[in-house]
Amino acid sequence: MREEAKPGSYAYLLAAFDGWNDACSASTNVVRHLLNAYPSQEVGSIASEDFYDYQVARPMLCHVQGKRSICWPETKFYEVSISDATRLLVETGPEPNYHWSEYCRQSLHMAEDYEINSIITLGSMFADCPHTRDLPIDDLASDDASCDTEGHSGPVGVPTVLDAMACQAGFSTESIWVSVPQYLGSDECAQATLQLLRRVSSMLGEPLEEGDLPMKAEHWKAQASVLIHCNDELADYVHRLELESDSKAASLIPEAVDTPAGDELVREAEEYLKSMGGQA
């Protein structure tokens, strides 16, 4: 039985899905972190039979208390106790293979049952970005009047479909995506998870527990740096990404606070990129 809403509280649904939308497990690891860091309880699920291709999302053989059982792919909902002012419902599971509209409708029915005010979807994607800088975060909020958003055009995953249907149903929505360096492969990226968690913390207005994520993020950076030092070609590629990142950051500095150092940074980046183009 769900807990009644407290006077003055605000309720969020936070959703992240395994699969195409979850590079390096960065977004679903935010949910796993919250479930480990705070008191939580499972409060619902979406049955798997109608939504999954079991040759793609295969059932797993599990051992519980010495007994074997089949664990089917499934989307689950958890109540997470953050504070009296903030009620958090989280949704996580593999991205479904079939019937996305019905799947999202069932998700929104759960949100309605729990009197959710705002829906936040999380995602992570591979991109050309350096591990030595803050990873890029895209924050796409829906327009209350038209549900229009700016940004990505092209193929989408179930977080985007859920976000669109939620907006049409009258929910406030926000979609947060982090980019992870594609040159480092698919190992877990604690830095991306940490940055998503901090963005969620800012949205909730709550200082969320970070646990050992900062330490894991530093370890991830250290491992990446070792890899770069062992490969001159990769080191040159990362240096180019650093210059592109710094040039973009410098271009966002307001003219009123522009500095000679910022101008020099832009010039250095432009000269380097021109030289790389001449070598192509």
Side-chain angles (χ1 to χ4, degrees):
M1 183 176 179
R2 74 178 179 87
E3 183 178 342
E4 291 297 323
K6 297 180 176 64
S9 66
Y10 195 89
Y12 298 84
L13 169 64
L14 181 69
F17 305 92
D18 292 301
W20 187 73
N21 318 277
D22 191 32
C24 297
S25 302
S27 59
T28 52
N29 276 345
V30 172
V31 170
R32 295 184 186 101
H33 172 80
L34 291 172
L35 294 179
N36 289 327
Y38 293 94
S40 60
Q41 61 176 340
E42 183 179 338
V43 295
S45 63
I46 297 178
S48 63
E49 286 83 356
D50 293 334
F51 301 107
Y52 293 105
D53 178 349
Y54 294 141
Q55 290 182 321
V56 177
R58 289 188 177 273
M60 301 291 290
L61 181 62
C62 306
H63 293 82
V64 180
Q65 297 181 338
K67 295 183 179 180
R68 296 195 306 172
S69 61
I70 301 297
C71 297
W72 299 91
E74 188 175 35
T75 296
K76 294 185 177 181
F77 296 85
Y78 300 85
E79 271 189 313
V80 182
S81 299
I82 300 295
S83 71
D84 288 343
T86 300
R87 295 185 295 115
L88 185 62
L89 181 69
V90 299
E91 175 182 7
T92 189
E95 182 180 58
N97 304 106
Y98 307 119
H99 310 305
W100 282 15
S101 293
E102 176 58 26
Y103 178 91
C104 291
R105 274 192 288 270
Q106 291 194 27
S107 298
L108 295 179
H109 288 159
M110 179 67 76
E112 291 169 352
D113 288 344
Y114 277 78
E115 300 177 359
I116 296 299
N117 304 106
S118 183
I119 293 177
I120 304 169
T121 57
L122 302 180
S124 51
M125 57 188 172
F126 290 111
D128 291 325
C129 57
H131 71 280
T132 52
R133 303 292 188 267
D134 283 346
L135 301 178
I137 293 276
D138 290 320
D139 191 344
L140 306 176
S142 64
D143 182 277
D144 291 337
S146 65
C147 293
D148 286 339
T149 60
E150 297 181 357
H152 173 76
S153 296
V156 298
V158 77
T160 306
V161 176
L162 177 60
D163 185 67
M165 291 181 63
C167 181
Q168 292 171 3
F171 291 96
S172 171
T173 67
E174 192 137 4
S175 184
I176 309 171
W177 288 74
V178 64
S179 296
V180 297
Q182 54 83 21
Y183 59 85
L184 293 178
S186 58
D187 290 342
E188 291 189 359
C189 180
Q191 178 65 31
T193 297
L194 178 62
Q195 288 187 217
L196 279 177
L197 180 71
R198 287 175 175 172
R199 183 66 189 94
V200 171
S201 177
S202 176
M203 288 188 59
L204 301 185
E206 297 278 357
L208 296 176
E209 295 287 342
E210 295 183 356
D212 60 358
L213 275 178
M215 180 185 67
K216 288 182 176 179
E218 289 302 318
H219 181 65
W220 174 81
K221 290 180 182 178
Q223 285 186 314
S225 294
V226 169
L227 176 64
I228 301 308
H229 288 315
C230 296
N231 187 321
D232 290 341
E233 184 177 349
L234 184 56
D236 189 65
Y237 170 68
V238 172
H239 182 54
R240 178 175 182 172
L241 293 179
E242 289 173 336
L243 290 172
E244 290 175 344
S245 176
D246 292 343
S247 178
K248 182 178 180 180
S251 70
L252 297 176
I253 299 175
E255 292 184 5
V257 296
D258 196 12
T259 65
D263 293 339
E264 180 61 29
L265 183 63
V266 173
R267 281 195 295 271
E268 179 187 355
E270 290 176 345
E271 290 173 2
Y272 181 82
L273 293 176
K274 287 179 180 177
S275 69
M276 292 299 295
Q279 297 173 14

